[in-house]
Amino acid sequence: EPEVTQTPSHQVTQMGQEVILRCVPISNHLYFYWYRQILGQKVEFLVSFYNNEISEKSEIFDDQFSVERPDGSNFTLKIRSTKLEDSAMYFCASSQPYPGTEETQYFGPGTRLLVL
Amino acid sequence: AQKITQTQPGMFVQEKEAVTLDCTYDTSDPSYGLFWYKQPSSGEMIFLIYQGSYDQQNATEGRYSLNFQKARKSANLVISASQLGDSAMYFCAMRGHSGGGADGLTFGKGTHLIIQP
């Protein structure tokens, strides 16, 4: 069964460093998403991406964040200058187009980011 | 703005009993989707069940069913014949349809379900 994959599973970085989180969405999906979950809290939407551009972003997704689809399979989230409060689990998700097709978002296993 | 409310932070249930996890929502979108996800201690988010706002029948997926009461704006998850492996966090989420196909999900705070033998 096709699934969303994410690398790395864990990343430790120093405050102020840049990190790139990588995702491979399900191959026939067209919509891609990033979410984060601070430890013990609910999952929060960051950004959605369709047709090589950002479709929607939350207020969390400020100028230190960027997303890119560098090739036909990968979808990346870059955090330019990490802060302590960026420590969280980051989930990538993908879905097929709506309407008329299944709109369920399937999540990857997550990348646990720790900023020291 | 959309909001999901899960009022049960934690629940203890005996194995083989049925479980109902509560979820209420608020939205101004005329069309929306409701989802339940399971998050075991390993951390991944596992999709369980989906209900569209215009679906006439309650969704079912194996032991999972969604008790959708549109007028009450509730979308409770029912797990029949609970198993030890059902122990996990359960999140209710919704997606409005105002932004086309790329709307982000709004999640509730979750319910921590523990199944006891």
PDB file of all heavy atoms in Angstrom, chain A residues 36-53:
ATOM      1  N   ARG A  36       2.720  20.548  12.233  1.00  0.00           N
ATOM      2  CA  ARG A  36       3.640  20.311  13.343  1.00  0.00           C
ATOM      3  C   ARG A  36       2.833  19.979  14.595  1.00  0.00           C
ATOM      4  O   ARG A  36       1.666  20.347  14.737  1.00  0.00           O
ATOM      5  CB  ARG A  36       4.532  21.527  13.597  1.00  0.00           C
ATOM      6  CG  ARG A  36       3.861  22.636  14.382  1.00  0.00           C
ATOM      7  CD  ARG A  36       4.821  23.721  14.788  1.00  0.00           C
ATOM      8  NE  ARG A  36       4.149  24.690  15.626  1.00  0.00           N
ATOM      9  CZ  ARG A  36       4.664  25.853  15.990  1.00  0.00           C
ATOM     10  NH1 ARG A  36       5.885  26.204  15.576  1.00  0.00           N
ATOM     11  NH2 ARG A  36       4.004  26.673  16.769  1.00  0.00           N
ATOM     12  N   GLN A  37       3.499  19.262  15.489  1.00  0.00           N
ATOM     13  CA  GLN A  37       2.882  18.901  16.764  1.00  0.00           C
ATOM     14  C   GLN A  37       3.918  19.092  17.855  1.00  0.00           C
ATOM     15  O   GLN A  37       4.866  18.293  17.964  1.00  0.00           O
ATOM     16  CB  GLN A  37       2.371  17.467  16.745  1.00  0.00           C
ATOM     17  CG  GLN A  37       1.635  17.064  18.013  1.00  0.00           C
ATOM     18  CD  GLN A  37       1.181  15.616  17.979  1.00  0.00           C
ATOM     19  OE1 GLN A  37       1.800  14.758  17.367  1.00  0.00           O
ATOM     20  NE2 GLN A  37       0.064  15.326  18.647  1.00  0.00           N
ATOM     21  N   ILE A  38       3.774  20.151  18.616  1.00  0.00           N
ATOM     22  CA  ILE A  38       4.620  20.354  19.778  1.00  0.00           C
ATOM     23  C   ILE A  38       4.263  19.286  20.802  1.00  0.00           C
ATOM     24  O   ILE A  38       3.087  18.921  20.940  1.00  0.00           O
ATOM     25  CB  ILE A  38       4.452  21.773  20.333  1.00  0.00           C
ATOM     26  CG1 ILE A  38       4.946  22.785  19.291  1.00  0.00           C
ATOM     27  CG2 ILE A  38       5.183  21.944  21.649  1.00  0.00           C
ATOM     28  CD1 ILE A  38       4.645  24.229  19.622  1.00  0.00           C
ATOM     29  N   LEU A  39       5.255  18.799  21.507  1.00  0.00           N
ATOM     30  CA  LEU A  39       5.073  17.675  22.423  1.00  0.00           C
ATOM     31  C   LEU A  39       3.891  17.876  23.355  1.00  0.00           C
ATOM     32  O   LEU A  39       3.799  18.892  24.053  1.00  0.00           O
ATOM     33  CB  LEU A  39       6.354  17.474  23.230  1.00  0.00           C
ATOM     34  CG  LEU A  39       6.395  16.214  24.111  1.00  0.00           C
ATOM     35  CD1 LEU A  39       6.333  14.968  23.245  1.00  0.00           C
ATOM     36  CD2 LEU A  39       7.649  16.212  24.967  1.00  0.00           C
ATOM     37  N   GLY A  40       2.978  16.917  23.327  1.00  0.00           N
ATOM     38  CA  GLY A  40       1.821  16.954  24.220  1.00  0.00           C
ATOM     39  C   GLY A  40       0.685  17.835  23.756  1.00  0.00           C
ATOM     40  O   GLY A  40      -0.307  17.985  24.470  1.00  0.00           O
ATOM     41  N   GLN A  41       0.837  18.439  22.571  1.00  0.00           N
ATOM     42  CA  GLN A  41      -0.195  19.340  22.090  1.00  0.00           C
ATOM     43  C   GLN A  41      -0.864  18.799  20.830  1.00  0.00           C
ATOM     44  O   GLN A  41      -0.516  17.727  20.334  1.00  0.00           O
ATOM     45  CB  GLN A  41       0.408  20.726  21.837  1.00  0.00           C
ATOM     46  CG  GLN A  41       0.972  21.362  23.106  1.00  0.00           C
ATOM     47  CD  GLN A  41       1.429  22.785  22.890  1.00  0.00           C
ATOM     48  OE1 GLN A  41       0.977  23.469  21.974  1.00  0.00           O
ATOM     49  NE2 GLN A  41       2.318  23.243  23.756  1.00  0.00           N
ATOM     50  N   LYS A  42      -1.803  19.570  20.321  1.00  0.00           N
ATOM     51  CA  LYS A  42      -2.527  19.101  19.139  1.00  0.00           C
ATOM     52  C   LYS A  42      -1.712  19.378  17.878  1.00  0.00           C
ATOM     53  O   LYS A  42      -0.750  20.135  17.877  1.00  0.00           O
ATOM     54  CB  LYS A  42      -3.891  19.769  19.046  1.00  0.00           C
ATOM     55  CG  LYS A  42      -3.853  21.264  18.818  1.00  0.00           C
ATOM     56  CD  LYS A  42      -5.272  21.806  18.715  1.00  0.00           C
ATOM     57  CE  LYS A  42      -5.271  23.299  18.491  1.00  0.00           C
ATOM     58  NZ  LYS A  42      -6.661  23.830  18.392  1.00  0.00           N
ATOM     59  N   VAL A  43      -2.127  18.743  16.817  1.00  0.00           N
ATOM     60  CA  VAL A  43      -1.489  18.923  15.523  1.00  0.00           C
ATOM     61  C   VAL A  43      -1.947  20.254  14.922  1.00  0.00           C
ATOM     62  O   VAL A  43      -3.144  20.583  14.942  1.00  0.00           O
ATOM     63  CB  VAL A  43      -1.867  17.753  14.584  1.00  0.00           C
ATOM     64  CG1 VAL A  43      -1.226  17.937  13.217  1.00  0.00           C
ATOM     65  CG2 VAL A  43      -1.438  16.421  15.197  1.00  0.00           C
ATOM     66  N   GLU A  44      -0.981  21.003  14.391  1.00  0.00           N
ATOM     67  CA  GLU A  44      -1.282  22.325  13.830  1.00  0.00           C
ATOM     68  C   GLU A  44      -0.888  22.382  12.359  1.00  0.00           C
ATOM     69  O   GLU A  44       0.225  21.984  11.982  1.00  0.00           O
ATOM     70  CB  GLU A  44      -0.511  23.410  14.582  1.00  0.00           C
ATOM     71  CG  GLU A  44      -0.826  23.498  16.070  1.00  0.00           C
ATOM     72  CD  GLU A  44       0.102  24.469  16.772  1.00  0.00           C
ATOM     73  OE1 GLU A  44       1.321  24.182  16.860  1.00  0.00           O
ATOM     74  OE2 GLU A  44      -0.382  25.527  17.226  1.00  0.00           O
ATOM     75  N   PHE A  45      -1.752  22.921  11.556  1.00  0.00           N
ATOM     76  CA  PHE A  45      -1.501  23.080  10.134  1.00  0.00           C
ATOM     77  C   PHE A  45      -0.478  24.186   9.898  1.00  0.00           C
ATOM     78  O   PHE A  45      -0.556  25.257  10.504  1.00  0.00           O
ATOM     79  CB  PHE A  45      -2.812  23.409   9.429  1.00  0.00           C
ATOM     80  CG  PHE A  45      -2.667  23.873   8.006  1.00  0.00           C
ATOM     81  CD1 PHE A  45      -2.298  22.998   7.009  1.00  0.00           C
ATOM     82  CD2 PHE A  45      -2.914  25.196   7.677  1.00  0.00           C
ATOM     83  CE1 PHE A  45      -2.175  23.424   5.701  1.00  0.00           C
ATOM     84  CE2 PHE A  45      -2.801  25.636   6.372  1.00  0.00           C
ATOM     85  CZ  PHE A  45      -2.436  24.744   5.383  1.00  0.00           C
ATOM     86  N   LEU A  46       0.473  23.916   9.007  1.00  0.00           N
ATOM     87  CA  LEU A  46       1.452  24.937   8.629  1.00  0.00           C
ATOM     88  C   LEU A  46       1.174  25.494   7.235  1.00  0.00           C
ATOM     89  O   LEU A  46       0.988  26.695   7.047  1.00  0.00           O
ATOM     90  CB  LEU A  46       2.870  24.358   8.653  1.00  0.00           C
ATOM     91  CG  LEU A  46       3.440  23.957  10.011  1.00  0.00           C
ATOM     92  CD1 LEU A  46       4.826  23.350   9.834  1.00  0.00           C
ATOM     93  CD2 LEU A  46       3.499  25.147  10.943  1.00  0.00           C
ATOM     94  N   VAL A  47       1.131  24.591   6.243  1.00  0.00           N
ATOM     95  CA  VAL A  47       1.083  25.047   4.865  1.00  0.00           C
ATOM     96  C   VAL A  47       0.568  23.930   3.967  1.00  0.00           C
ATOM     97  O   VAL A  47       0.730  22.753   4.266  1.00  0.00           O
ATOM     98  CB  VAL A  47       2.506  25.486   4.416  1.00  0.00           C
ATOM     99  CG1 VAL A  47       3.457  24.305   4.382  1.00  0.00           C
ATOM    100  CG2 VAL A  47       2.484  26.215   3.083  1.00  0.00           C
ATOM    101  N   SER A  48      -0.077  24.331   2.883  1.00  0.00           N
ATOM    102  CA  SER A  48      -0.464  23.384   1.846  1.00  0.00           C
ATOM    103  C   SER A  48       0.122  23.842   0.511  1.00  0.00           C
ATOM    104  O   SER A  48       0.383  25.037   0.302  1.00  0.00           O
ATOM    105  CB  SER A  48      -1.974  23.231   1.756  1.00  0.00           C
ATOM    106  OG  SER A  48      -2.584  24.470   1.444  1.00  0.00           O
ATOM    107  N   PHE A  49       0.285  22.901  -0.381  1.00  0.00           N
ATOM    108  CA  PHE A  49       1.041  23.147  -1.617  1.00  0.00           C
ATOM    109  C   PHE A  49       0.357  22.402  -2.750  1.00  0.00           C
ATOM    110  O   PHE A  49       0.028  21.216  -2.627  1.00  0.00           O
ATOM    111  CB  PHE A  49       2.460  22.620  -1.403  1.00  0.00           C
ATOM    112  CG  PHE A  49       3.479  23.017  -2.424  1.00  0.00           C
ATOM    113  CD1 PHE A  49       4.155  24.215  -2.304  1.00  0.00           C
ATOM    114  CD2 PHE A  49       3.794  22.189  -3.487  1.00  0.00           C
ATOM    115  CE1 PHE A  49       5.130  24.589  -3.219  1.00  0.00           C
ATOM    116  CE2 PHE A  49       4.752  22.549  -4.409  1.00  0.00           C
ATOM    117  CZ  PHE A  49       5.435  23.740  -4.275  1.00  0.00           C
ATOM    118  N   TYR A  50       0.138  23.110  -3.853  1.00  0.00           N
ATOM    119  CA  TYR A  50      -0.507  22.494  -5.004  1.00  0.00           C
ATOM    120  C   TYR A  50      -0.017  23.158  -6.260  1.00  0.00           C
ATOM    121  O   TYR A  50       0.123  24.391  -6.301  1.00  0.00           O
ATOM    122  CB  TYR A  50      -2.033  22.614  -4.891  1.00  0.00           C
ATOM    123  CG  TYR A  50      -2.781  22.237  -6.144  1.00  0.00           C
ATOM    124  CD1 TYR A  50      -2.827  20.909  -6.555  1.00  0.00           C
ATOM    125  CD2 TYR A  50      -3.422  23.187  -6.914  1.00  0.00           C
ATOM    126  CE1 TYR A  50      -3.503  20.547  -7.711  1.00  0.00           C
ATOM    127  CE2 TYR A  50      -4.101  22.838  -8.064  1.00  0.00           C
ATOM    128  CZ  TYR A  50      -4.141  21.520  -8.457  1.00  0.00           C
ATOM    129  OH  TYR A  50      -4.802  21.167  -9.600  1.00  0.00           O
ATOM    130  N   ASN A  51       0.244  22.389  -7.272  1.00  0.00           N
ATOM    131  CA  ASN A  51       0.644  22.931  -8.569  1.00  0.00           C
ATOM    132  C   ASN A  51       1.862  23.843  -8.429  1.00  0.00           C
ATOM    133  O   ASN A  51       1.913  24.927  -9.019  1.00  0.00           O
ATOM    134  CB  ASN A  51      -0.539  23.675  -9.185  1.00  0.00           C
ATOM    135  CG  ASN A  51      -0.402  23.847 -10.688  1.00  0.00           C
ATOM    136  OD1 ASN A  51       0.278  23.073 -11.354  1.00  0.00           O
ATOM    137  ND2 ASN A  51      -1.042  24.873 -11.221  1.00  0.00           N
ATOM    138  N   ASN A  52       2.803  23.396  -7.623  1.00  0.00           N
ATOM    139  CA  ASN A  52       4.084  24.078  -7.433  1.00  0.00           C
ATOM    140  C   ASN A  52       3.990  25.448  -6.780  1.00  0.00           C
ATOM    141  O   ASN A  52       4.862  26.300  -6.988  1.00  0.00           O
ATOM    142  CB  ASN A  52       4.832  24.204  -8.770  1.00  0.00           C
ATOM    143  CG  ASN A  52       5.450  22.888  -9.185  1.00  0.00           C
ATOM    144  OD1 ASN A  52       6.010  22.169  -8.353  1.00  0.00           O
ATOM    145  ND2 ASN A  52       5.336  22.561 -10.453  1.00  0.00           N
ATOM    146  N   GLU A  53       2.937  25.646  -6.013  1.00  0.00           N
ATOM    147  CA  GLU A  53       2.885  26.880  -5.246  1.00  0.00           C
ATOM    148  C   GLU A  53       2.103  26.673  -3.965  1.00  0.00           C
ATOM    149  O   GLU A  53       1.316  25.729  -3.849  1.00  0.00           O
ATOM    150  CB  GLU A  53       2.280  28.019  -6.074  1.00  0.00           C
ATOM    151  CG  GLU A  53       0.851  27.787  -6.520  1.00  0.00           C
ATOM    152  CD  GLU A  53       0.343  28.931  -7.370  1.00  0.00           C
ATOM    153  OE1 GLU A  53       1.153  29.704  -7.917  1.00  0.00           O
ATOM    154  OE2 GLU A  53      -0.888  29.072  -7.487  1.00  0.00           O
TER     155      GLU A  53
END
